[in-house]
Structure formats: structure tokens, C-alpha cells
Amino acid sequence: MACGNNCTCNRNESGNQDNSRRDFLLKGLMGGIGAAFLSGCSGNTGSKSESGDKVNVLTHDGKLVAVDKSQVANFKPHISEEDVRKGIPGKKFVMVIDLAKCDGCGKCTKACNKMHYLPSNKEWIEVLEMQDSPEVSPYYFVKPCMHCDNPPCTKVCPVDATFKREDGIVAIDTDRCIGCRFCMAACPYSVRLFNWTEPVKPNIIETTPAAENVFQSKKGCVEKCDFCPHMAREGKLPACVTGCPMNAIWFGDANEDAVTCYDGTTAKLSQLLEDGGAYRFLEELGTEPRVYYLPPANRTYDAKEIKIEKEGK
Amino acid sequence: MEKLNPEIKNQIENELLGTVGRRYRQETFWVFFLGAICIGGTVAWIIQLRKGLGVTAMRDYVSWGLYISLLFFFVGVSLIGALVSCVLRMSGAKWRYPLIRIAEAVTLSAIFFAGFMPVLDMGRPERLYFLITHGRIQSPILWDVIAIATYFIGSLIYFYLPLIPDLAIMRDKLTDAPKWRKKLWRWLAMGWEDNLLQRRLLKKAMLILCIVILPVAISVHTISAWLIAFTLRPGWNSTIMGPYFVFGALMAGTAIMILIIAKLRHGYRLEHYLTPKHFNNLAKILLALTAFYLYLNINKYGVPAYKMAKEERAVLEDLFYGKNAFFFWFTQIAGLVLPIIILSFKRFRQSIKWVVAASVMVLLGALINRYLIVVPNMLHPFVPIQHAQHGYATYNPTLIEWTITASSLAGFVLLIILLFKPFPVITMWEVTEEVEKRGEKEIGVENIITLQNIPTHAS
Ligand code: SF4
Ligand code: SF4
């Protein structure tokens, strides 16, 4: 995970893998921004009151320098419509959900709803109770958007309102969506939600194009889990990951082969998948999900307490 | 057969022109009645536009409901034009001549509403033009838009071409009509003089159009079927959808055709033109189609029912003995098996009443079947429905939805009536020409050349 500015600033930084991953991410991000900032207005130093807080930034010629935090704080990289459609360069986001750890508390959903200003009746990330057959024990199943690599939903969209980005994210442009709901019919994971009525708007100002907005609900348009691209651009983890105290959700970049969970532990993606015997949900459909599941073996909670809701109740 | 006596020809034309612009009490009642329903539907639509699709019962699981079911129904019914004008033409059925204009009117009306239903169903109808400005040709919706538009234009031309000589007859005969109408007829008749060259050209144009329109017609409905067959959902993920839709559509269209000519026969006093022969022949077609459709149904439901694969099981159980069992068995038994039995007997086929009764059953079955194709599948997705809010895991259409649905059906019938109003419903020139050539029997008309049998119009 790095900044969104296509630099390789934190690639070779070694040694502190055990340190907080987020700190590490922040550094990377600041590096990118700082590089842009310093090269752009190097003559402006001192125009703001110094806070005394130093951050390390990487200049475009590869030097690591410490500058005052106040000088980089207000810099917001401009994100164009095109950037949003392309995605964050060099990234391939993945999620790994450890079903053995999930105890069904639903905090991921709460964190997600808070992040995206969703009312409690909308769930971008759902926690279901599953039981594959009567004899096997039930488990909690967390279901975000799978951000499929062969997404049935984007294929059918008539106006390119929902699209696959190069960083793996399947996004929705609510300024474009005509509300035909074909994508909802096409998604085999029942992930997509529709704004049947006018949603309650929060009092925030969005600066990015619609597909990376924090608040995506628009009357007559679809919405769904977006992997928090606005957070990823800042090098931060999605809300559900930072909201899951059980460390059940991992998020990261497949290109880096690294994923991080709630407590900041960073693991090697390939190792995690291999050791955990990972699988993908409904693999047989060929949708190539970007979300992996670790099977609910050696659960950390009492599975017998799970009650399965009968369908259609 | 020798040339028709000009006096008789004149008489026939006068008789057929008699329906143009004439007011029938029953018809006026229907126009107002259907018009009132349409106004109700418009009000409901305005409410829906203002409040959003939340006024319908559609929710995240059942995200398509009555509107899309109706879309499939209308697209289907629109195939009747292609059946009568192309398929019957190619099979050399001469009795089609009196039916052509009626079939094309049904087609035009149906395809118009088929184009309208998706707009009703859209969350953002004001962004409709995005389909052109941002259209993505990979999406079947775009194909559908293109196919529907092409078919609409094709049907319009097919409605117009055989109308030209009739318009010329109207131009020449109805001299006491208001001025603007005469002007319009003159303009639309495009200088038709009824000479041999013109006739030859017109017939050639109709032949070409007939060949072109058939694949378009089939593609329109196949693409509609693909809207659901292109998804991975259990029950929809099937290769049978295209033919299943097309033949179900031909069946429903034929049933509607029978009902309409039954109504016109007495309403417009066309007993001599729309005769038991037509009913009998259409009944045979309907029999063949219902039987074939039953066969397709056995394939569509029987094959997965034998396997009972995990995903399909829930849908099938719902249909066979679950919540939708009544509807399902109704469509199969009352909508297919019984009509097949009725229509198998010559005695029943020759009785207009029985044919009409069978058509009503087929039509009802076809309408419900569209619903069964769309909704139950949406209630049984791969991921089990859990913690659903109230009203999310069921689908009980709201009053607004029913009103809009009813008014679309009413509008469909109303548009057909309105299309019948300004023109004779029977293609005069073709019918007289063919009667001259082949005699009454083959065309299916009765006693039109015996002067004394021509009834006078009592309005
Ligand atoms: S899970 Fe559904 S919405 Fe998400 S990418 Fe896959 S098909 Fe699309
Ligand atoms: S509902 Fe919106 S995003 Fe989905 S297919 Fe239609 S236009 Fe595309």
C-alpha cells in the first residue's frame, strides 16, 4: 500500500515490517505528496506557521527529507474523472476474510455505514449466517462486493456507469447510472443496492468525481461496496478492516503481495492464502472475485450459538 | 376468375370504408374507459417519478417486477405482425390478406409500449439519452434499444406500404371529408395511380421488407430473453430462453389476434371478411404453438427438475408446490393443456366461441408466465436472503404498480383502436385483387361479391 501518486517510495524501505503498517503507509503517502509539493513550490517555505511536527518525504530524485507537517497538510492531489475511471496506478486491491475469526459482531458493517453515511437499513458489507449442509456446523459469512475480475455486473451496464478499474475495483459512477438495475440482476452475489427513494444527504462536501465519493447514495441509482478508494488513495485501509476488532478482514495490494488487518499486522498475501487454504465464494461461476475467504476452521467462537434464518422469513 | 364487376368492387370498398371515422357506441365507450385508465396510469407515473421507485414493491432482491414482465409481454405480442405478414406469406397462406393490417396495428402498438416499459422501470428516466451519448454496445440493453427501434420503424413502414393504395382510394372516394384530411390522404398516397408499374414496385418493396423484418422480429425478442439469460442467476442461466420467449410470444400474439378479430368482426360488422375460416386457421396455428410451447416448458422445467441441482431447487420448489404453485400450474394447465385439448377438436376449432375461449386462457397464461419468469427467480438468489427488512424478501406489487401496469395494457388496446380509426381495417386493394385472382374461398371471405348480401351499415 502506498500513496496514490504512482511513486515507488515505500517499495524498498526495509527493516520495519513489524512497525505499524499504517504509519508506514502514511509515510509513503506523504512521500508522494511531498515530492509533488516540494518540486512545485519550493520557494514557499515558511509562509505558514510551523507546527514542529516533522514528516519524512521522498523527493522526486530519491532523497528522503524531513519537512514540517504543516507544509504538506493542505495539499490535495486533484483527481480527475479519468483518474477515477482508471483507478490507482500500479495497484491490485484484494481482500481476505478469515471466517474462522469472524464472530458475527457486525462491527465491519457499522464502520462501513458510518464511513459512507448509510442508514442502518443499508448494508454494503453484510454478515450472514451460513450452514452448507445440516450436519456441518454453521459459521458467519461476511460478504462485501467481490470486485470480480470477470464482473457480470459491469458487462451488462448500458452506459458504462459501473466499470472495472485497473486497480481491481469495480466502481459506480452515480452521475452516469440510469437506474436500469441490470447490474443488480446480473450480480450473483446480491451485492448491489438501489436507492428506491431519496436518500438522506449528509452535510459534507465531496471533492472527487462521483465514483470515489464517500457518500454514494443517489435516488434512482445503484450503490455497493466500493473498497473505499478514497481511503486507498490516502494509503489508508477501508472502514470495515479498521472496524473489525477480530482481525478477520485483511486488505492490501496483490502487486505488493501484502495485506494488512485491524491491528496493523501485515502479512504476505500468498502465504496467507496458502496457509489458510483460501477459497473464493462461488468460484464455479467464473466471476474471479478479488475477495478470498479462509475457511471457518478452528473457530475462535462457539459455532453452536449461530441461528440460521430460514429463507423467505 | 374474371374481373370483379366494378360496381361490386365499388360496393366492397364503400363497405370497408364505412368504418373510417365512424363512431360506434361500444367503441366510444371503450375509448373513454381505456382513456380513463390511462389517465390514472399517468397520474400514478407522475407520483412514481416524483417519489422514486420506492412507491413500487420492488426492492433490492426483486429488483425487476411487473414492468419488466410487461416489457417481455409486449415485445412478445409484437411478433404477431411478423408472423402474419412474413411467415404466413412465405407459407403461401392466402387467407392472411384480410388480417394483415390488423396484425400490423397490434404490432405497432405492442412495440411502442415495449419501448415504453423500460422507461417506466428506470430509476433515472431523465438520463435516457445517456444510452446514446454514453451507450456501451457490449450491453444487451443497447442491442434491445436498437432492435426495438429498428423493428418499430420496420413495422411502421410495413403498416404504411399496403396502406398507400387504400389511401388513394380514400382520397378518390371520400370527397366529403374535411379538407385537412383530404390533404393528408393525398400527401400520404404519394400520387398512387394504381397502374401496373406501381403495383409491381409496391409488391416488390413489401417482399423485401417481409424478408428483412423477420430476422429483426426474432432478434427483438431473443435479445429481450437474453436480458435475463445473460445473468448467472439460477433459473435464468439457461440457453433455452431465446426460443422459449420467441415461441411463447408467437403464441400470445396469435391469441391476441384471435380476440381482436373476434371483437372487430361484430363491432365493425366485418362478418363477411373475418370469417370462421380465419378463426379456424388461426386456431390451428395456436394449437401448434401451444403444443410446442408445452414441449419447451417441459424442457425448461422438466430437465432441471430431474436433476434438482442445489441452486435451481429453491426456484423449482417455489413453482411446483411453493408460493407460486397456483400460478405456475395455472399457466401450465389452464394456459396450455386445456387450450390444446380444446383446439384439438375440429368441432371446437370451428366454433368461434370456443376458439375465443381458448385464446383467453392462453393469453392469461402467457401474461402470468411472464411474471413467473421474472419474479420467483429473483427471490431465490445464490446468496440466501437473510435479515431482510420488511417487504424486501417478498414482492406484492403496490397500487401504483398495478395502476401503471393496467394502464399500459389499456394504452396498448387503446392505441390499436386508434390505429383502426383513420383507415379501413381490411386492406381493400389486396383483398379485392386476391378475390379476383383466387376466389373468395381461398382468401377466407364470404359472400362479398353477391350484391344482395352486402349489409347496409346501421349505426
Ligand atoms: S460481487 Fe457483484 S457487484 Fe461486485 S463485482 Fe462481482 S458481480 Fe459486480
Ligand atoms: S443500474 Fe446503473 S450501474 Fe447498473 S447497469 Fe444500469 S446504468 Fe449501469
Side-chain angles (χ1 to χ4, degrees), chain A residues 121 128-129 154-158 174-182 184-185 190 194 196 219 309 311, chain B residues 50 53-54 58-60 63-64 121 123-124 127 130 134 136 139 141 227 233 380 383 386-387 389:
Chain A
N121 61 2
L128 304 166
E129 298 97 34
T154 65
K155 270 189 207 167
V156 297
C157 180
T174 46
D175 284 341
R176 180 77 69 81
C177 174
I178 61 172
C180 66
R181 310 195 291 295
F182 199 176
M184 297 180 77
S190 308
F194 189 74
W196 300 97
K219 179 182 149 195
E309 189 184 315
E311 200 172 301
Chain B
R50 293 186 53 175
L53 285 170
M58 289 185 279
R59 289 297 179 264
D60 294 332
S63 53
W64 281 345
D121 192 64
R124 288 261 170 178
R127 292 182 180 172
F130 280 12
H134 299 287
R136 221 176 128 262
S139 165
I141 290 196
L227 291 189
R233 280 177 189 261
H380 299 283
V383 184
Q386 284 181 359
H387 318 297
Q389 301 162 56

Side-chain angles (χ1 to χ4, degrees), chain B residues 112-155:
Chain B
F112 176 80
F113 279 94
F116 192 57
M117 294 322 290
V119 182
L120 280 177
D121 192 64
M122 275 167 70
R124 288 261 170 178
E126 76 275 14
R127 292 182 180 172
L128 186 62
Y129 69 94
F130 280 12
L131 286 176
I132 297 161
T133 52
H134 299 287
R136 221 176 128 262
I137 200 67
Q138 299 94 314
S139 165
I141 290 196
L142 257 264
W143 310 347
D144 217 19
V145 169
I146 295 169
I148 288 184
T150 315
Y151 190 50
F152 181 73
I153 293 167
S155 302

Side-chain angles (χ1 to χ4, degrees), chain A residues 92-132:
Chain A
K92 274 277 177 211
F93 295 114
V94 288
M95 186 176 274
V96 182
I97 297 177
D98 191 344
L99 299 178
K101 287 190 192 147
C102 169
D103 67 349
C105 68
K107 289 200 177 123
C108 52
T109 313
K110 286 209 188 75
C112 171
N113 283 23
K114 194 163 168 229
M115 162 79 67
H116 298 283
Y117 302 95
L118 298 173
S120 60
N121 61 2
K122 273 187 189 163
E123 291 183 355
W124 282 9
I125 181 163
E126 248 182 296
V127 183
L128 304 166
E129 298 97 34
M130 289 266 219
Q131 190 173 22
D132 296 338

Side-chain angles (χ1 to χ4, degrees), chain B residues 21-141:
Chain B
R22 182 189 285 265
R23 291 219 172 80
Y24 297 86
R25 227 201 274 141
Q26 222 194 13
E27 187 191 60
T28 319
F29 163 75
W30 277 105
V31 168
F32 278 107
F33 178 65
L34 297 173
I37 299 181
C38 287
I39 292 173
T42 316
V43 173
W45 189 32
I46 292 170
I47 297 176
Q48 179 185 304
L49 281 177
R50 293 186 53 175
K51 295 203 177 153
L53 285 170
V55 297
T56 70
M58 289 185 279
R59 289 297 179 264
D60 294 332
Y61 291 108
V62 184
S63 53
W64 281 345
L66 285 184
Y67 301 156
I68 295 292
S69 313
L70 263 195
L71 161 72
F72 294 151
F73 177 74
F74 282 132
V75 177
V77 169
S78 76
L79 291 198
I80 186 64
L83 178 76
V84 171
S85 333
C86 310
V87 179
L88 289 188
R89 179 188 182 128
M90 289 169 187
S91 57
K94 301 296 171 214
W95 53 272
R96 73 175 192 274
Y97 286 108
L99 304 181
I100 288 181
R101 185 157 301 147
I102 302 173
E104 282 306 323
V106 175
T107 297
L108 268 184
S109 179
I111 198 75
F112 176 80
F113 279 94
F116 192 57
M117 294 322 290
V119 182
L120 280 177
D121 192 64
M122 275 167 70
R124 288 261 170 178
E126 76 275 14
R127 292 182 180 172
L128 186 62
Y129 69 94
F130 280 12
L131 286 176
I132 297 161
T133 52
H134 299 287
R136 221 176 128 262
I137 200 67
Q138 299 94 314
S139 165
I141 290 196

